[in-house]
Amino acid sequence: MALELTYILTTTYSFILSLIIFLVVAPALLPRLFKPYQFLPRVKQFIVKDAFLSFCLATTVGLRAWYIYIFAADQIPHDVIWHDSPLVRHTLAIYTGYVTAALVLMLTHNIGQMSSKLHHFFSTYTGFVAMTYPCLMYCANNVLMMELSNPFVNMRMMLKVVGYEKTTAYVWNGLAMLVTFFIARCVSTTIGTLRFLHLALAHPQFWDLPLCIHVCYFGGVSIFNVLNYYWFYKICRGVLKYTAELKTTKEN
C-alpha cells in the first residue's frame, strides 16, 4: 500500500528535528539546566541527551494521542478494522521519525545495549507499518498513549545520571512517573488489548489483513504488555524500598 506524501514529509521533519534537538539544542541547554552535565563522561552525556530528546518528542506524541482518545473518539472506533484517521497517522509519523533518529544515533555513536537497539528497531518497524495501513487506528493510538509516561521516565533518567537523586524534584518526578505509568501503560493498554483481542475474535476478516499488520500488532501487544507490567512491578518495588529507607531515616 502506498504511503501518502504528507506522512512521509512529517516523518522526515520529525527525524530532522530529532537530530537537531540531540546535536544542537541539548548540548546548548543541558549544561544550563544541570551543572554537572559538562563534567560527565561521553557515554553519560549521550544518555542524558537521548533522554532529553525522548522527553521532548514523547511529550508531543503522548499529549496528541490522549487528545485524540478524549476529544476525537470518532477518529478511532474500536470496533472496526479498516478506518482511516489522519490525526493518528500524523502522530505515528512524528513517532516514527523520532525513534528512527534515536536508532541512528545509537548506531552511529555505538552506544546502547543490544536490547535497546532492538527495541528501537521494532518500534520503527511497527510505527512505519501502522502509519502506512489505515486500519486498527484505535490500537495504534492506544500504543501511542503509552508515551504519556515517558517524559517522567526520561526526566528521572536525566536527574539520576547528573547526580540529582537526593533532590525533591527527583522524588516528585518519581511519583508523577508512577501515576502516569499506571494510567498510560497498565490501565489504558489493558483496555486496548481486550478490545484488540475481541476485534480479532469477532471479525473473521481480521485474519485477512497483511502479515506485516499481524506482526506489528500481535508482536506489539505481546512485547509491550509484558514489558509494561514488568517495569511497573519494578517501579512499585522502588517506591516501597524508598519509603522503607525514608521511614528508617526518620526513626533514627
Side-chain angles (χ1 to χ4, degrees):
M1 181 173 290
L3 185 61
E4 291 91 329
L5 178 60
T6 179
Y7 303 123
I8 296 175
L9 292 176
T10 302
T11 303
T12 304
Y13 170 77
S14 176
F15 178 84
I16 295 173
L17 178 62
S18 297
L19 294 181
I20 292 174
I21 291 174
F22 184 91
L23 298 173
V24 180
V25 178
L29 187 60
L30 288 173
R32 301 184 180 185
L33 294 176
F34 309 113
K35 291 184 178 180
Y37 170 83
Q38 56 188 325
F39 304 109
L40 295 174
R42 173 176 169 269
V43 173
K44 289 190 175 182
Q45 285 189 353
F46 180 93
I47 293 173
V48 177
K49 289 192 293 182
D50 182 66
F52 178 76
L53 168 61
S54 182
F55 175 90
C56 296
L57 273 295
T59 301
T60 302
V61 171
L63 290 177
R64 279 178 63 99
W66 278 88
Y67 170 84
I68 295 168
Y69 182 77
I70 297 173
F71 299 107
D74 59 313
Q75 289 260 343
I76 50 171
H78 62 82
D79 55 350
V80 298
I81 296 176
W82 289 101
H83 177 80
D84 194 9
S85 172
L87 274 176
V88 174
R89 295 175 76 190
H90 272 111
T91 308
L92 282 164
I94 297 171
Y95 172 80
T96 304
Y98 146 64
V99 293
T100 303
L103 177 61
V104 169
L105 289 168
M106 282 185 180
L107 295 175
T108 55
H109 287 72
N110 195 27
I111 293 177
Q113 297 179 348
M114 181 57 66
S115 59
S116 181
K117 293 174 182 177
L118 290 174
H119 172 271
H120 279 73
F121 177 81
F122 187 71
S123 296
T124 300
Y125 170 79
T126 55
F128 179 79
V129 171
M131 172 179 57
T132 303
Y133 292 86
C135 65
L136 304 177
M137 288 289 99
Y138 176 89
C139 301
N141 192 69
N142 189 254
V143 173
L144 295 174
M145 288 165 63
M146 294 192 303
E147 294 294 307
L148 186 69
S149 67
N150 278 358
F152 303 103
V153 172
N154 286 284
M155 179 58 71
R156 179 182 176 84
M157 177 63 71
M158 286 188 280
L159 293 172
K160 183 177 182 179
V161 173
V162 299
Y164 285 9
E165 288 183 270
K166 303 299 182 181
T167 63
T168 303
Y170 187 83
V171 175
W172 283 107
N173 181 79
L175 291 174
M177 182 184 71
L178 175 68
V179 173
T180 55
F181 199 101
F182 177 69
I183 294 173
R185 288 183 174 264
C186 294
V187 176
S188 68
T189 54
T190 299
I191 296 173
T193 299
L194 292 174
R195 287 180 167 175
F196 170 73
L197 293 175
H198 177 267
L199 192 65
L201 295 173
H203 296 265
Q205 62 268 34
F206 175 89
W207 303 101
D208 295 329
L209 290 170
L211 177 61
C212 60
I213 294 290
H214 292 297
V215 173
C216 171
Y217 285 98
F218 276 111
V221 167
S222 303
I223 293 173
F224 289 126
N225 277 346
V226 171
L227 288 176
N228 286 338
Y229 297 137
Y230 172 70
W231 286 333
F232 186 68
Y233 163 74
K234 292 192 69 174
I235 291 173
C236 290
R237 283 193 61 183
V239 171
L240 292 175
K241 181 181 178 181
Y242 176 81
T243 304
E245 291 176 351
L246 186 64
K247 184 178 179 180
T248 303
T249 302
K250 288 183 177 181
E251 289 177 350
N252 294 335

